[in-house]
């Protein structure tokens, strides 16, 4: 057991102050659109690592490089990076039109009265299949605006339904970067984490549908949305979803999705082989920053651990939270607070992973439950912070279509995150001591 050293946590504090401070400056003082996401997160982590390298003069710089290299020499880190890139390639293959086909297909099946409920279900399915809440919101919010305009449902309700469904899938998807980060960080199988999460997320989703239904039946309906769709384009999503649930290796699942998507898109004449390769490359490239963050966090955490920073943090947590229930709540609050500071649930999980892993050993908590709590609480906090990517993208999409809406208009209709928090707390209370 290394000696506790609170000063060793300074790099984390530097990162949070730099990233959060610049985010507030850009977003709220300089009024830069999406300002919080114009902060170069990689530069912020590089500065934090530089601060870590300046600490502890008893260790030479070459030794510090060796410590960081050992932090990266982990099977879970390599697996995480490869899954990130493969998942990006899959999303690049299936593209926007496939997700829109899912939405319009489901909207065509039901009466207009249930349109907002369908928006929620569509967002759930699309986000599970695509593995991205931001991507789902980008695709489905314009459809939600069309539903609101045509049917008479309030725009905040429609947008809130889409955001809730997007976070449902982000939390459960086998190819979501949050799932990948949580599972590989804790060393658990994705299907085990899915099963753990599903029984927390399902009650929240059902209660959300009930709330939406109650509001829907109080609304006067004026019309409906009708648009062309292509059912064949849904197949890759369904194959990935089924493969993940039955426990096929995640790489094989993604390859099946990529191959089936490529065959369908080329056979249907929607894309040329050259464009397909270009899209795959763009999809993988879209994951580069996430991959780099995972690498830099692993290096920074290796130095902090070596200096005794984790021991100091864990000691404070152990004094505050007692037993399994306290440990799970402590993990949830830890990842939630990091998410509030970084406004990025994947980064929050990656940063919380090593601390949560040691907490799990101390409290006797299984790896799948730890991964579930980290992913769930990060999604809860990410969904409701007004400066989160999900909220900013939703508002931006609405504004581009000529509508006016604010985060505070949408927040009262974010039923799913609220019910997910309640469901998570119930799950923690029910766990055996």
């Amino acid at each position: 057991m290394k000696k506790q050293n609170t000063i060793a946590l300074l790099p984390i504090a530097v990162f949070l102050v730099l990233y959060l401070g610049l985010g507030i400056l850009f977003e709220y003082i300089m009024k830069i659109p999406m300002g919080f996401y114009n902060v170069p997160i990689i530069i912020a982590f590089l500065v934090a690592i530089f601060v870590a390298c300046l600490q502890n003069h008893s260790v030479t710089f070459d030794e510090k490089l060796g410590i960081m290299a050992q932090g990266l020499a982990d099977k879970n880190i390599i697996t995480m990076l490869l899954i990130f890139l493969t998942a990006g390639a899959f999303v690049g293959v299936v593209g926007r039109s496939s997700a829109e086909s899912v939405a319009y297909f489901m909207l065509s099946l039901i009466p207009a009265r249930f349109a907002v409920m369908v928006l929620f279900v569509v967002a759930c399915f699309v986000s599970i299949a695509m593995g991205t809440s931001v991507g789902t919101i980008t695709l489905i919010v314009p459809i939600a605006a069309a539903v609101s305009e045509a049917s008479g449902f309030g725009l905040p309700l429609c947008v809130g339904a889409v955001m809730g469904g997007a976070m449902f899938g982000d939390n459960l998807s086998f190819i979501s970067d949050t799932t990948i980060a949580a599972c590989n960080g804790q060393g658990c199988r994705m299907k085990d984490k899915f099963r753990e999460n599903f029984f927390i997320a399902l009650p929240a989703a059902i209660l959300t549908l009930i709330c939406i239904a109650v509001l829907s039946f109080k609304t006067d309906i004026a019309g409906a949305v009708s648009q062309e769709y292509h059912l064949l384009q849904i197949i890759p999503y369904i194959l990935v979803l089924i493969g993940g649930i039955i426990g096929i290796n995640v790489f094989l699942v993604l390859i099946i999705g990529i191959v089936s998507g490529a065959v369908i898109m080329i056979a249907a004449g929607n894309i040329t082989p050259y464009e397909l390769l270009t899209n795959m490359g763009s999809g993988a490239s879209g994951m580069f920053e996430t991959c780099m963050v995972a690498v830099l966090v692993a290096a920074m955490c290796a130095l902090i651990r070596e200096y005794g920073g984790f021991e100091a943090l864990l000691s404070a947590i152990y004094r505050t939270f007692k037993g399994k229930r306290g440990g799970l709540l402590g993990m949830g609050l830890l990842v939630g607070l990091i998410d509030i500071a970084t406004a990025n649930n994947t980064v929050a999980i990656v940063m919380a992973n090593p601390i949560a892993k040691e907490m799990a050993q101390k409290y006797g908590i299984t790896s799948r439950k730890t991964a579930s709590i980290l992913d769930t609480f990060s999604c809860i906090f990410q969904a409701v912070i007004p400066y989160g990517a999900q909220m900013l993208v939703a508002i931006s999409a609405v504004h581009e279509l000529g509508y006016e809406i604010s985060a505070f208009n949408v927040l009262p209709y974010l039923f799913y995150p609220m019910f997910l928090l309640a469901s998570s707390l119930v799950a923690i209370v029910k766990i055996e001591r």
Side-chain angles (χ1 to χ4, degrees), residues 376-389:
T376 301
F377 272 81
S378 71
C379 284
I380 292 167
F381 281 84
Q382 183 68 21
V384 298
I385 52 176
Y387 51 88

Side-chain angles (χ1 to χ4, degrees), residues 311-384:
E311 280 67 25
L313 182 57
L314 287 167
S315 177
I317 291 172
Y318 297 153
R319 288 195 303 269
T320 306
F321 299 98
K322 307 296 182 182
K324 282 186 178 181
R325 294 171 184 169
L328 288 168
L329 183 59
M331 289 177 189
L333 292 176
L334 173 68
V335 75
L337 290 173
I338 296 175
D339 186 77
I340 289 172
T342 62
N344 187 311
N345 46 345
T346 304
V347 172
I349 291 171
V350 171
M351 291 181 70
N353 259 331
I355 302 168
K357 195 165 189 175
E358 295 198 22
M359 290 174 66
Q361 293 173 351
K362 168 74 174 180
Y363 291 112
I365 300 169
T366 63
S367 59
R368 68 181 187 177
K369 190 168 286 294
T370 303
S372 172
I373 286 293
L374 290 178
D375 198 349
T376 301
F377 272 81
S378 71
C379 284
I380 292 167
F381 281 84
Q382 183 68 21
V384 298

Side-chain angles (χ1 to χ4, degrees), residues 254-275:
L254 288 170
I255 290 171
I256 291 171
I258 290 170
V259 172
S260 62
V263 170
I264 289 170
M265 298 297 282
I266 291 175
N270 295 322
I271 198 169
T272 66
Y274 171 76
E275 290 171 334

